[in-house]
Amino acid sequence: MSNSRSGYHFAIIGCGKIATRHAENITRIGKLISVCDIENDKAIQLATNYNCAAFFSIDELLTSEKEIDIVVICTPNGLHAAHSIKALQANKIVLCEKPLCLSKKEGIQLQQAEANSSGKLFVVKSTRYNPAIIQLKEILDKKQLGKIYSFQLNCFWNRPDSYYESNWKGTLHLDGGVLFTQFSHYIDVLLWLFGDVEKINGFRKNLVHNKSIEFEDCGIVSVQMKNGILGGINWSINSFLKNMEVSLTVLAEKGTLKIGGEFMNEIKYQLLDGFAMKNLEKGNPNDYGTYKGSMSNHDKVYENLIRTLQDQTIPFATIEDGLKTVDFIETIYNSIPIS
């Protein structure tokens, strides 16, 4: 559906840095009619850039703008649930940025709100669109690797104290933690590829960011999946000066492979029985000037969203997908204290 307009009318709630990426893609496939932020200058600036209305209250937006079909939630993590629920109560389709929410309790409230709404909630899971991840998913679905023995997920990025000078980043109630803000896309991929987790052990520490964040800046966990696969997850925002890598290594009966690069977007190693993965487009990260985020796949997210709305047999990440990630991260945080 590239370069064609869908006829859907959109509103964006939350006018921070990621909102611009959404606005770019909305104007390509539909019509952005309004934006909203309690920080008036942010709402006015985004509205001016995209020639749409600015609101400073969600309630006023949802009451005034009857033409809205889809509400996009780009507010701080800890507000995703409350804002998505308001949009669902207004019977809107909702596209929520990651993470879906910060607790399983909030996730259940979202499920209830969706059940009572004529709307539907979808979650941005943009790393699922990385070409290397798509290939690996197909390989696993076809069981080309045979029995999967183990995996190792490494997430090594850089976030200096200056990154947390915003009014919400680094706080437990609005940020939630490194696994929610920096690495939830990669936790999602792990669960999407290998299923549900059964057991967790590990460690968390705050080694560098004691003055700027209320949670860990690094951690290591070992996991056993319900299907018996063993795995390790090693994460840190202490990589020297810049992001180093997000990598996934898989050891299996019929091969060993490693997908790596700064955003899990390159095939770094493969020795496979009778077939090979292809190094496809590496793509570009979400670049915020002073730091970089995950691979930018929002064009693919929006094209898939429109296809799904037009044909419900086409899959798109739902509340249930988002809640699996939230539940796993919350379990890590609740069961492994910072030492």
Side-chain angles (χ1 to χ4, degrees), residues 157-159 164 178 182-183 209 213 217 235-239:
W157 278 1
N158 169 273
R159 291 294 182 270
Y164 292 100
V178 172
Q182 274 71 47
F183 300 132
H209 297 77
I213 66 177
D217 60 15
W235 74 96
S236 177
I237 52 169
N238 298 330
S239 176

Side-chain angles (χ1 to χ4, degrees), residues 99-164:
L100 171 66
C101 53
L102 294 182
S103 70
K104 186 175 181 179
K105 179 181 178 181
E106 287 181 328
I108 292 170
Q109 292 169 350
L110 283 163
Q111 288 175 317
Q112 293 169 341
E114 185 186 55
N116 294 325
S117 172
S118 61
K120 176 79 174 172
L121 191 151
F122 300 97
V123 188
V124 174
K125 298 290 189 183
S126 55
T127 298
R128 293 189 182 191
Y129 299 90
N130 285 17
I133 299 300
I134 292 171
Q135 281 189 80
L136 179 54
K137 176 65 172 171
E138 290 173 351
I139 287 167
L140 291 171
D141 287 347
K142 293 176 182 176
K143 302 190 183 305
Q144 288 178 272
L145 285 172
K147 182 178 175 60
I148 308 300
Y149 300 138
S150 62
F151 63 79
Q152 175 66 39
L153 174 65
N154 290 331
C155 303
F156 302 140
W157 278 1
N158 169 273
R159 291 294 182 270
D161 284 333
S162 58
Y163 168 84
Y164 292 100

Side-chain angles (χ1 to χ4, degrees), residues 37-179:
D37 200 298
I38 58 171
E39 295 187 31
N40 296 12
D41 57 333
K42 288 186 177 181
I44 291 168
Q45 184 64 61
L46 192 63
T48 300
N49 291 348
Y50 289 91
N51 193 28
C52 62
F55 287 83
F56 316 120
S57 156
I58 294 174
D59 293 331
E60 185 182 354
L61 167 72
L62 294 172
T63 301
S64 303
E65 295 282 45
K66 302 298 185 185
E67 293 184 0
I68 297 171
D69 301 303
I70 303 170
V71 175
V72 181
I73 307 297
C74 295
T75 48
N77 302 345
L79 301 176
H80 285 181
H83 294 166
S84 295
I85 287 170
K86 278 183 179 289
L88 286 169
Q89 288 172 339
N91 295 312
K92 305 300 183 184
I93 298 163
V94 181
L95 178 64
C96 182
E97 257 295 347
K98 61 81 185 167
L100 171 66
C101 53
L102 294 182
S103 70
K104 186 175 181 179
K105 179 181 178 181
E106 287 181 328
I108 292 170
Q109 292 169 350
L110 283 163
Q111 288 175 317
Q112 293 169 341
E114 185 186 55
N116 294 325
S117 172
S118 61
K120 176 79 174 172
L121 191 151
F122 300 97
V123 188
V124 174
K125 298 290 189 183
S126 55
T127 298
R128 293 189 182 191
Y129 299 90
N130 285 17
I133 299 300
I134 292 171
Q135 281 189 80
L136 179 54
K137 176 65 172 171
E138 290 173 351
I139 287 167
L140 291 171
D141 287 347
K142 293 176 182 176
K143 302 190 183 305
Q144 288 178 272
L145 285 172
K147 182 178 175 60
I148 308 300
Y149 300 138
S150 62
F151 63 79
Q152 175 66 39
L153 174 65
N154 290 331
C155 303
F156 302 140
W157 278 1
N158 169 273
R159 291 294 182 270
D161 284 333
S162 58
Y163 168 84
Y164 292 100
E165 290 172 356
S166 160
N167 59 359
W168 65 272
K169 289 173 182 169
T171 64
L172 276 170
H173 72 292
L174 287 179
D175 184 319
V178 172
L179 291 180

